[in-house]
Amino acid sequence: HLHGDRFTLHSDLITKDHESFNCCDAKWSPFSDSTIATAEKCSVLIWNLNISQKNKLITEFRAAEQRGVNKISFSHYQKNILLTGSHDSKIRAFDIYNRKSIFELAYTDEIVRDIQFSPIFEHQIAAIYEDGVLAVWDTRKTDQPLLKFQAHTEPAFCLSWHPEEPFIATGGRDKKIRICNIKSSGIVCRYTLHAMNNPVSRVSCGKEMP
């Protein structure tokens, strides 16, 4: 919690059962201010901060076979659906209530560096891959991406959907931020922003778009 100019600890999710917990991503549920998903190696853990007991873990499931989960993303339209992107080049969707896999997406051997459900198109998912390719998937057509675009010339690390418009921002080792317009005819780069001296490891889109 933020109190004035100081932070205070609300919950410590590390319990005796998870002392070696190595979190690589964490996301709030868009449907609940008390539900958090975290990714740890090949597993996803779901926590409920409203549980009065110290251990707030409510469920846990395996989300990758051998190579770890890199990123997770909640659906903006179905509160039980969670997406994972993994080192094994696969994107998987799970029902967090019954811990079952719903679908799996894969078309390349490249590592999935970041994934995100679209906040404006119910059936669309964006993924950025190790080779710099930005792919947009339609969850109703799981054999191939709907759209692909070479966003970066070196490994890409991150992406972010605009919350209200069909734009995606991406970042990578080439020290560039690409602002891409998602159209039915293809992906078009609208802007290229140059970082100062370092790779871009995280991007986040706000509502303002020139």
Side-chain angles (χ1 to χ4, degrees), residues 17-82:
D17 294 332
H18 295 87
E19 288 180 345
S20 60
F21 184 70
N22 183 18
C23 180
C24 58
D25 197 17
K27 291 293 190 308
W28 290 97
S29 166
F31 295 94
S32 170
D33 60 3
S34 62
T35 301
I36 296 174
T38 58
E40 185 233 359
K41 296 181 181 178
C42 295
S43 297
V44 170
L45 296 83
I46 309 296
W47 313 80
N48 187 340
L49 301 185
N50 286 338
I51 294 177
S52 58
Q53 63 195 45
K54 185 175 181 180
N55 187 352
K56 301 181 184 301
L57 181 67
I58 56 175
T59 190
E60 178 180 359
F61 55 88
R62 193 170 183 82
E65 293 302 321
Q66 295 179 344
R67 307 182 72 184
V69 175
N70 289 326
K71 295 294 178 180
I72 54 179
S73 174
F74 275 105
S75 169
H76 296 267
Y77 292 88
Q78 297 175 277
K79 63 182 180 180
N80 59 315
I81 306 302
L82 184 79

Side-chain angles (χ1 to χ4, degrees), residues 99-119:
R99 300 184 294 181
K100 291 184 178 180
S101 175
I102 301 171
F103 61 78
E104 184 177 290
L105 309 173
Y107 87 101
T108 177
D109 293 331
E110 296 290 333
I111 296 170
V112 182
R113 285 299 180 187
D114 203 354
I115 42 94
Q116 197 175 103
F117 272 110
S118 168

Side-chain angles (χ1 to χ4, degrees), residues 3 38 44 49 67 75 97 101 105 116 135-136 147 151 154 159 169 185 187 196 204-205:
H3 293 284
T38 58
V44 170
L49 301 185
R67 307 182 72 184
S75 169
Y97 294 155
S101 175
L105 309 173
Q116 197 175 103
V136 175
L147 303 167
E154 296 185 51
L159 66 82
S185 58
I187 300 174
M196 295 296 289
S204 182
C205 282

